[in-house]
Amino acid sequence: MQTVSTVALEGPDDLSLAYTPGVALVCEAIAADPEMTQHYTWVPNTVAVVTDGTAVLGLGDIGPAAAMPVMEGKAVLFKQFGGVDAVPICLDTTDTEEIIETVVRLAPSFGGINLEDISAPRCFEIEDRLKERLEIPVFHDDQHGTAVVALAALVNALKLTGRRPEDTRVVISGAGAAGIAVAKILLGGGIRDLAVTDRKGVLHSSRDDLTPAKRALAEMTADVTGRQGSLADVLDGADAYLGLSGGTVPEEDVARMAPDAIIFGMANPTPEVHPDIARRYARVVATGRSDFPNQINNVLAFPGIFRGAFDVRATAITEGMKLAAANALAELVGDELSEDFIIPSPFDPRVGPAVATAVAAAARADGVARL
């Protein structure tokens, strides 16, 4: 990564404009009207990519220094696929209050906050409280980026297999940040019969070991359908399985799924169900890996989401904006839809603009746009 100027700096006149005395005029304009920041600085097109290094990729808690390469990579993706400037910020604290207060104090320098690789369940509280305190988009990509792309892929998988969301039985393994977010967006996308499992089985309110986030999800899922038991129990006859947990699902459990099943094994680098096994029983298979078809890749979502939010100076990223992003991604596949092509490539030049346009429109519809 590097930072470069958008204007020439080749002589005394350029210097006097870019810095003193010319810069003082801009400072005075902003002091008189802070809204001028949106016109005369990079703030409205810049996102902070913030981590504490506690949940980095599949590496776990490796600390803020070791997390920097991932944050830099994220910043490169923001610029390449969304035209958004990004600054990686690795915080030397894992304390929830300290993270929140630090980000709040940094916020005037940025148009949005992208939380990254912060472990659950702290990530839920950090995001929720930052949303309450800041009037700029706050987005935890590990949750919502994954959720948007997973929903887009599932929309097309359902279309391919002749299913309707309201008639589809879905199982999610993994009730961490990504699993909970995917579950919520699937409910928003019309799925009604949804079971979410953790290491101890299906989340339901009769369990006494649930975190507040898991309990809230149980009330929206298994408490409605009455499903209980183990992952194997709820996979029996299920139409779709989405893995966000790691571990391995036994082949005999996969074999009991419904005909023309849908299997998304999204753990990296080892999917919960290897594609070779999944294809024996499923019609549509997706992973989080780039060396198999149908990669569920967050880069399809977050650059366009922030681009669209910034284009209308949105104060937040709403559920409607996420659903709009997912639907825009799904629609890009169009007539090319097939078992090995349910989601577009990140290198499809239509992706970023399509997501941005849909998100901007949804921001206006949801009343969070300032332009």
Side-chain angles (χ1 to χ4, degrees), residues 52-354:
D52 64 357
T54 55
V56 181
L57 300 178
L59 304 174
D61 186 354
I62 60 174
M68 179 57 81
V70 179
M71 302 310 111
E72 288 182 321
K74 200 82 173 195
V76 170
L77 299 179
F78 264 114
K79 189 66 173 180
Q80 177 70 29
F81 296 110
V84 172
D85 294 310
V87 178
I89 296 176
C90 299
L91 300 178
D92 190 14
T93 178
T94 60
D95 182 84
T96 295
E97 298 299 329
E98 290 183 355
I99 292 171
I100 292 169
E101 292 303 321
T102 300
V103 173
V104 168
R105 283 159 175 72
L106 287 170
S109 297
F110 300 98
I113 306 295
N114 185 91
L115 301 173
E116 191 76 24
D117 294 347
I118 298 174
S119 62
R122 295 174 309 120
C123 61
F124 302 120
E125 181 180 359
I126 290 169
E127 184 188 30
D128 288 344
R129 288 176 56 191
L130 286 174
K131 285 179 176 178
E132 291 172 359
R133 294 184 62 177
L134 299 177
E135 292 189 352
I136 57 175
V138 177
F139 187 80
H140 185 203
D141 185 52
D142 300 327
Q143 294 184 59
H144 310 301
T146 302
V148 165
V149 182
L151 176 58
L154 186 61
V155 165
N156 279 336
L158 295 181
K159 186 183 299 183
L160 195 63
T161 58
R163 293 181 169 97
R164 300 188 306 168
E166 60 270 25
D167 300 325
T168 300
R169 187 153 78 82
V170 180
V171 174
I172 293 175
S173 68
I180 290 175
V182 169
K184 288 181 177 179
I185 202 170
L186 293 192
L187 293 171
I191 297 295
R192 295 291 173 262
D193 192 340
L194 176 61
V196 182
T197 69
D198 62 9
R199 291 182 180 88
K200 296 185 178 180
V202 176
L203 304 186
H204 55 84
S205 291
S206 59
R207 285 176 49 177
D208 59 6
D209 60 341
L210 299 181
T211 64
K214 288 183 179 181
R215 185 167 299 281
L217 186 58
E219 292 171 357
M220 295 184 284
T221 55
D223 287 6
V224 176
T225 62
R227 299 197 185 280
Q228 296 190 19
S230 66
L231 174 61
D233 292 331
V234 289
L235 273 180
D236 191 1
D239 297 300
Y241 164 76
L242 283 70
L244 298 123
S245 61
T248 301
V249 180
E251 183 173 352
E252 57 267 27
D253 295 340
V254 177
R256 291 198 294 271
M257 293 182 67
D260 280 348
I262 299 163
I263 296 177
F264 295 178
M266 292 181 276
N268 263 321
T270 305
E272 292 86 350
V273 184
H274 192 279
D276 292 343
I277 294 175
R279 288 193 188 95
R280 297 173 190 168
Y281 308 100
R283 183 172 172 188
V284 183
V285 178
T287 71
R289 290 172 48 152
S290 59
D291 54 346
F292 292 105
N294 301 326
Q295 183 187 21
I296 308 298
N297 191 333
N298 290 14
V299 75
L300 288 163
F302 66 83
I305 288 174
F306 271 94
R307 176 74 276 146
F310 284 174
D311 286 347
V312 295
R313 288 191 53 214
T315 58
I317 294 174
T318 65
E319 295 305 311
M321 292 159 74
K322 297 171 201 172
L323 288 171
N327 289 327
L329 281 173
E331 288 171 3
L332 284 176
V333 172
D335 294 338
E336 297 179 70
L337 180 63
S338 69
E339 284 80 357
D340 286 340
F341 190 64
I342 60 170
I343 199 76
S345 163
F347 294 100
D348 183 334
R350 302 173 300 162
V351 167

